[in-house]
Amino acid sequence: MSKTVPGAKSRPTDPPTETPSGDQPQWRPQTLMVRGGLNRSEFGETSEAIFLTSGYIYDRAEDAEAAFKGENDRFIYSRYGNPTVGMFEERMRLLEGAEAVRSTASGMSAVFASLMAQLSAGSRVVASRALFGSILYIIGEILPRFGVETEFVDGSDMEGWAKALSRPATCVFLETPSNPGLEVIDIAAIAELAHAAGATLTVDNVFATPILQKPLELGADIVVYSATKHIDGQGRALGGVILGSADFCNGDLMTFLRHTGPALSPFNAWTLLKGIETLEVRVERQVANAVNVATFLEDHPKIGRVLHPDLPSHPQHDLARRQMRGGGTVIAFDVTGGKETAFRFANALKLVDISNNLGDSKSLLTHPATTTHQRLTPEDRARLGISDEMVRLSVGLEDVEDLKNDLRNALMLC
Ligand SMILES: *Cc1c(COP(=O)(O)O)cnc(C)c1O
């Protein structure tokens, strides 16, 4: 860590002043989450500083010339890089164990940039079908307009993946566990198929978080996050992160981001940086709450299917055990009786809020069929297992007994 990020010309992420030996710190993950990337100013502040500046000045015209030639390591303009944004990026890089990293203004700009930096007319994308709504729109609707061939595969259909990847491809994109059906996809197996087809594998790791799943260790090439979710985790700021090789992040991706400009604001970067400090503590408690709530719901007479990767009844439970440290903070379940009953249940909740966000310290409930996935045809929803009875619950940090009481009371009234 005594060096700047490899290849990141004109964008120094200086060493944390406290790095013990000067090289990559030997710190364990939780320490990195609190201190990784820290880059104190001359004032010696405890908390990371917010550099709310769009530009930077040069002592001499020669320095500006050298900066634009890429001959010195310095900040030029906050669309390219910023000290607070750099601290957030470095902390994410250390946490994920990636070679390099870039941040963006939202999860969607991270997904879009990670694809566009790799694709051109004639490229081919193979993706899992159960994707976050806007990603489905990018891959299914936007990319084909520019001559990119796209194909969707059911996530757990290994024969489908093998068939789709028996022809050359450029990018493979998947989300696991998926939203809202919590389908778990075998990252290592798909990575092998993707690489044999000449494609990179990108994993949207939002539902798993960097705490519970490490796609790069399983063979993925690129990991994307909506930092809006657990990384902030307190409903305050949008953000996105892309992690991968130095070649990609500091090459085509950096060029794409610099010129198209979905830059993360320094203020949001600071908010997310502070979010990482408590990420592991929050996620572990939220997973424990989620498993507790899911187990309670499985025994409730008014509840049909309950989906959470940590439940032995989950169709890919063994795979989830192999590739995840915990099944995540989100559960999905069917409230027997259809849309009206599901709505009565949602409206009867007094503690849990109705909201389409997730990964928050506040528990949030949504009805995917009429919100996040209403754009889909009923057939496509059925294919993804999204019934009118299904609700998705993002389990927060409240006392789990209060949560169960709220759910129990609402179920009595619906
Ligand atoms: C929220 C989300 C996104 C998009 O992130 P934004 O920050 O809202 O742009 C992408 N993928 C998944 C799985 C998400 O949950």
Side-chain angles (χ1 to χ4, degrees):
M1 285 253 323
S2 63
K3 296 274 158 14
T4 54
V5 175
K9 289 246 174 70
S10 329
R11 192 186 147 278
T13 15
D14 288 336
T17 46
E18 304 178 345
T19 303
S21 63
D23 250 321
Q24 198 70 8
Q26 299 301 302
W27 296 329
R28 293 175 176 80
Q30 179 55 45
T31 309
L32 290 173
M33 281 183 255
V34 177
R35 292 178 175 269
L38 179 62
N39 184 7
R40 291 199 166 114
S41 79
E42 72 267 35
F43 298 116
E45 63 281 355
T46 310
S47 173
E48 295 75 4
I50 309 179
F51 291 90
L52 271 180
T53 181
S54 45
Y56 307 87
I57 58 161
Y58 307 88
D59 287 340
R60 299 155 57 247
E62 287 80 358
D63 296 338
E65 181 185 28
F68 274 79
K69 279 188 178 161
E71 288 169 0
N72 58 17
D73 249 359
R74 52 158 297 147
F75 292 105
I76 295 176
Y77 189 49
S78 284
R79 170 149 49 78
Y80 292 8
N82 170 283
T84 311
V85 174
M87 284 190 267
F88 167 62
E89 290 178 330
E90 180 62 4
R91 192 165 291 177
M92 277 303 301
R93 188 188 73 76
L94 292 167
L95 169 57
E96 195 70 36
E99 225 173 82
V101 57
R102 294 282 145 183
S103 63
T104 57
S106 70
M108 284 320 304
S109 50
V111 169
F112 189 59
S114 69
L115 288 167
M116 291 305 277
Q118 300 180 76
L119 299 171
S120 49
S123 297
R124 188 163 170 264
V125 176
V126 177
S128 56
R129 196 183 306 280
L131 289 175
F132 185 73
S134 296
I135 303 176
L136 207 55
Y137 182 76
I138 288 177
I139 296 177
E141 316 259 336
I142 298 180
L143 295 181
R145 297 212 312 259
F146 296 90
V148 174
E149 185 192 330
T150 65
E151 183 175 341
F152 293 103
V153 178
D154 288 330
S156 51
D157 174 11
M158 287 312 296
E159 268 172 42
W161 283 107
K163 185 155 169 277
L165 292 169
S166 61
R167 286 200 292 131
T170 321
C171 295
V172 175
F173 191 101
L174 64 86
E175 183 185 322
T176 178
S178 69
N179 172 31
L182 302 170
E183 181 183 34
V184 178
I185 303 179
D186 191 335
I187 297 174
I190 308 300
E192 215 165 283
L193 291 171
H195 295 155
T200 58
L201 171 62
T202 301
V203 174
D204 180 333
N205 208 37
V206 164
F207 271 58
T209 80
I211 306 299
L212 304 175
Q213 180 169 271
K214 294 274 189 245
L216 298 177
E217 288 172 11
L218 295 165
D221 304 284
I222 299 164
V223 177
V224 291
Y225 287 105
S226 162
T228 317
K229 310 296 164 56
H230 305 80
I231 292 169
D232 172 29
Q234 288 148 90
R236 303 166 297 192
L238 295 174
V241 187
I242 305 154
L243 299 122
S245 68
D247 232 23
F248 175 62
C249 293
N250 301 330
D252 289 345
L253 180 64
M254 179 176 81
T255 308
F256 183 85
L257 291 172
R258 282 184 165 199
H259 296 301
T260 57
L264 179 63
S265 95
F267 185 83
N268 283 6
W270 179 83
T271 309
L272 299 170
L273 189 58
K274 304 312 281 183
I276 299 176
E277 294 182 3
T278 56
L279 180 64
E280 181 166 47
V281 183
R282 285 184 286 109
V283 167
E284 283 183 353
R285 172 67 69 85
Q286 284 173 254
V287 172
N289 281 357
V291 172
N292 192 324
V293 168
T295 309
F296 156 74
L297 289 169
E298 263 198 325
D299 288 337
H300 198 284
K302 283 196 182 162
I303 298 293
R305 194 173 56 136
V306 181
L307 295 167
H308 185 274
D310 283 341
L311 293 178
S313 58
H314 188 282
Q316 295 101 31
H317 177 67
D318 292 339
L319 171 61
R321 276 280 144 97
R322 274 206 308 280
Q323 77 178 16
M324 302 179 76
R325 253 183 63 201
T329 65
V330 177
I331 63 183
F333 53 95
D334 288 345
V335 185
T336 313
K339 177 184 158 185
E340 284 68 32
T341 317
F343 273 32
R344 273 203 302 278
F345 165 69
N347 293 338
L349 292 165
K350 293 217 155 59
L351 173 60
V352 175
D353 293 309
I354 301 172
S355 170
N356 48 279
N357 201 4
L358 62 96
D360 201 275
S361 55
K362 294 184 171 62
S363 293
L364 305 174
L365 183 112
T366 190
H367 184 251
T370 53
T371 59
T372 52
H373 291 73
Q374 69 151 303
R375 245 176 47 85
L376 301 187
T377 62
E379 295 73 43
D380 282 345
R381 275 199 294 275
R383 191 159 188 173
L384 297 177
I386 305 171
S387 67
D388 285 348
E389 303 192 329
M390 182 202 252
V391 292
R392 185 193 75 191
L393 176 63
S394 169
V395 182
L397 284 175
E398 300 93 341
D399 189 297
V400 74
E401 296 306 322
D402 288 338
L403 286 174
K404 286 192 288 188
N405 281 338
D406 193 39
L407 296 166
R408 191 183 289 118
N409 290 340
L411 284 167
M412 221 139 60
L413 295 170
C414 74

